[in-house]
Amino acid sequence: MTAAYLVLSDGTVYEGHAFGAERDAFGEVVFNTSMSGYQEMLTDPSYAGQILVPTYPMQGNYGINATDAESKDIKVAAFVVREHSPTPSHYDSSRTLHTYLAEEGIPGIRGVDTRAITRRIRSHGVMMGVLTTGDPQVALRELASLPSYDTVNFVDRVTVDEAYEWSGEGGRRIAVVDCGVKYNILRLLTQRGCRVRVHPAAATADEILRDNPDGVVFSPGPGDPVHNAPTVETAREVIERVPALGICLGHQIIARALGAETYKLKFGHRGGNHPVQDIATGRVYITAQNHGFAVSDEALPSAIEVTHRNLNDGTIEGIRHRELPVLTIQYHSEASPGPLDNEYIFDRFLDMVNG
């Protein structure tokens, strides 16, 4: 067994054993509290540039299958687990988690105290880290010279190069702006009778509206929305002309297009158990989340009405425009992984489209 180390930028070192690809990787270290769904997490584009630490101790116990990926390949920089199962048990399993990581060149470390890592991040905030099989002190010095997560535009790394048709034969045409879209968003729109066309994050409003879509969805994605000014400008033009839905990063992009500001959370919201209240009805939903930035309450434009709040910390979880058919949510209505309680958001969006 090869020794491996997770080294945090504050100098903390966690020793374990390498699995997956045996190579070094660096990124922002974040944790996720979901109890299952590691394949969906690994392939979620919102994790680009990040080292993922699941808090649930056992990972890999049901293997990897052909249907649960949320993008074409693994997006995390590295994977940190308490215990890796080398003998998965599931009728759909085609390979182990170790094999999956190794085939895609993604390093992992097992046998570390993931709860201790989580407590440190919750206490001190997210920080950069490096996973290495070499000297941890050398890795720490190298980490100091690498770019921090907040300075990189990761959307450019995960968006498509050119527009494409996803599928669907329905009468409603929906354009999806790919800031790091998960496949389940496209699946759920198709299931609701939509023809879906996916556009790059850099697409202009004219390029998106050229096909006369009935509605536009701005997808989730990684990183700080301050790097996505062209997409914000596109959103500003699009929402004046067709109904729009923003999810996670898409929510932040539309909010910025309407004049709101965003800021970085101390350790973000990542998991499948975050309580969110619909302010109009008072109903509380348990939501799947994966984001490190949020829309600020300060100087919120009068055209914006807050529709949802996070009951853990009071942050904004949804907005709507007071006059235009624009709806956004900070959480993931498509789940994958997480509870399916919030798929109704797609129905609410399509009701706007039909109206």
Side-chain angles (χ1 to χ4, degrees), residues 174-209:
I174 302 299
V176 175
V177 179
D178 177 16
C179 301
V181 71
K182 289 165 63 182
Y183 285 162
N184 209 38
I185 292 174
L186 310 180
R187 297 185 194 108
L188 291 171
L189 289 169
T190 300
Q191 291 171 13
R192 285 162 171 75
C194 299
R195 289 180 292 163
V196 178
R197 184 170 176 81
V198 181
H199 295 265
T204 66
D206 288 343
E207 289 169 340
I208 294 168
L209 300 176

Side-chain angles (χ1 to χ4, degrees), residues 14 18 72 79 92 162 228 233 236 275 285 341:
Y14 300 89
K72 65 181 181 179
F79 199 41
D92 262 349
E162 56 185 33
N228 309 126
E233 181 56 36
R236 186 176 292 116
Y285 295 89
D341 306 34

Side-chain angles (χ1 to χ4, degrees), residues 283-303:
R283 179 172 175 176
V284 176
Y285 295 89
I286 302 303
T287 67
Q289 302 205 9
N290 179 14
H291 62 99
F293 296 83
V295 175
S296 174
D297 273 289
E298 295 184 12
L300 203 62
S302 59

Side-chain angles (χ1 to χ4, degrees), residues 11 82 85 260 319:
R82 177 68 184 91
S85 173
I319 63 172

Side-chain angles (χ1 to χ4, degrees), residues 331-349:
Y331 51 95
H332 286 259
S333 49
E334 79 284 357
S336 293
L340 304 177
D341 306 34
N342 302 286
E343 290 183 6
Y344 75 92
I345 291 294
F346 294 103
D347 299 318
R348 187 175 291 182
F349 166 61

Side-chain angles (χ1 to χ4, degrees), residues 129-204:
V130 59
L131 195 158
T132 182
T133 55
D135 185 331
Q137 296 307 314
V138 173
L140 180 62
R141 291 194 293 271
E142 292 177 348
L143 181 62
S145 65
L146 296 172
S148 68
Y149 178 81
D150 297 348
T151 64
V152 180
N153 182 359
F154 287 102
V155 170
D156 282 350
R157 301 187 183 187
V158 300
T159 189
V160 291
D161 294 326
E162 56 185 33
Y164 67 92
E165 296 288 335
W166 169 257
S167 65
E169 299 178 352
R172 293 172 294 195
R173 290 192 61 85
I174 302 299
V176 175
V177 179
D178 177 16
C179 301
V181 71
K182 289 165 63 182
Y183 285 162
N184 209 38
I185 292 174
L186 310 180
R187 297 185 194 108
L188 291 171
L189 289 169
T190 300
Q191 291 171 13
R192 285 162 171 75
C194 299
R195 289 180 292 163
V196 178
R197 184 170 176 81
V198 181
H199 295 265
T204 66

Side-chain angles (χ1 to χ4, degrees), residues 51-340:
I51 296 175
L52 176 59
V53 184
T55 59
Y56 192 74
M58 171 68 79
Q59 301 294 321
N61 54 309
Y62 53 86
I64 299 296
N65 62 55
T67 58
D68 285 346
E70 285 300 314
S71 64
K72 65 181 181 179
D73 51 25
I74 296 177
K75 294 298 192 297
V76 303
F79 199 41
V80 180
V81 305
R82 177 68 184 91
E83 183 178 353
H84 164 252
S85 173
T87 55
S89 176
H90 194 279
Y91 68 92
D92 262 349
S93 177
S94 61
R95 50 187 161 164
T96 66
L97 174 59
H98 163 72
T99 301
Y100 188 42
L101 293 171
E103 289 177 348
E104 301 220 3
I106 305 300
I109 182 174
R110 60 181 177 84
V112 296
D113 188 345
T114 52
R115 302 295 176 93
I117 298 170
T118 300
R119 291 186 65 177
R120 177 160 289 275
I121 293 172
R122 284 182 62 90
S123 298
H124 301 282
V126 292
M127 61 188 82
M128 296 295 289
V130 59
L131 195 158
T132 182
T133 55
D135 185 331
Q137 296 307 314
V138 173
L140 180 62
R141 291 194 293 271
E142 292 177 348
L143 181 62
S145 65
L146 296 172
S148 68
Y149 178 81
D150 297 348
T151 64
V152 180
N153 182 359
F154 287 102
V155 170
D156 282 350
R157 301 187 183 187
V158 300
T159 189
V160 291
D161 294 326
E162 56 185 33
Y164 67 92
E165 296 288 335
W166 169 257
S167 65
E169 299 178 352
R172 293 172 294 195
R173 290 192 61 85
I174 302 299
V176 175
V177 179
D178 177 16
C179 301
V181 71
K182 289 165 63 182
Y183 285 162
N184 209 38
I185 292 174
L186 310 180
R187 297 185 194 108
L188 291 171
L189 289 169
T190 300
Q191 291 171 13
R192 285 162 171 75
C194 299
R195 289 180 292 163
V196 178
R197 184 170 176 81
V198 181
H199 295 265
T204 66
D206 288 343
E207 289 169 340
I208 294 168
L209 300 176
R210 189 175 298 152
D211 297 324
N212 296 314
D214 299 298
V216 178
V217 176
F218 288 84
S219 85
D224 188 339
V226 299
H227 299 301
N228 309 126
T231 311
V232 170
E233 181 56 36
T234 293
R236 186 176 292 116
E237 296 181 40
V238 164
I239 62 179
E240 294 282 349
R241 299 161 70 177
V242 294
L245 168 66
I247 303 174
C248 203
L249 180 63
H251 151 82
Q252 298 164 20
I253 284 172
I254 289 179
R256 292 182 69 88
L258 293 172
E261 295 296 326
T262 52
Y263 67 100
K264 185 169 179 120
L265 296 166
K266 181 177 181 181
F267 49 81
H269 300 162
R270 298 177 179 89
N273 58 352
H274 291 258
V276 168
Q277 185 172 48
D278 184 322
I279 294 174
T281 65
R283 179 172 175 176
V284 176
Y285 295 89
I286 302 303
T287 67
Q289 302 205 9
N290 179 14
H291 62 99
F293 296 83
V295 175
S296 174
D297 273 289
E298 295 184 12
L300 203 62
S302 59
I304 291 178
E305 177 184 355
V306 177
T307 59
H308 296 77
R309 288 277 182 188
N310 188 301
L311 293 185
N312 286 336
D313 60 9
T315 52
I316 295 173
E317 291 281 355
I319 63 172
R320 72 174 183 89
H321 195 280
R322 296 186 186 276
E323 297 178 1
L324 300 173
V326 176
L327 167 69
T328 77
I329 54 169
Q330 180 63 83
Y331 51 95
H332 286 259
S333 49
E334 79 284 357
S336 293
L340 304 177

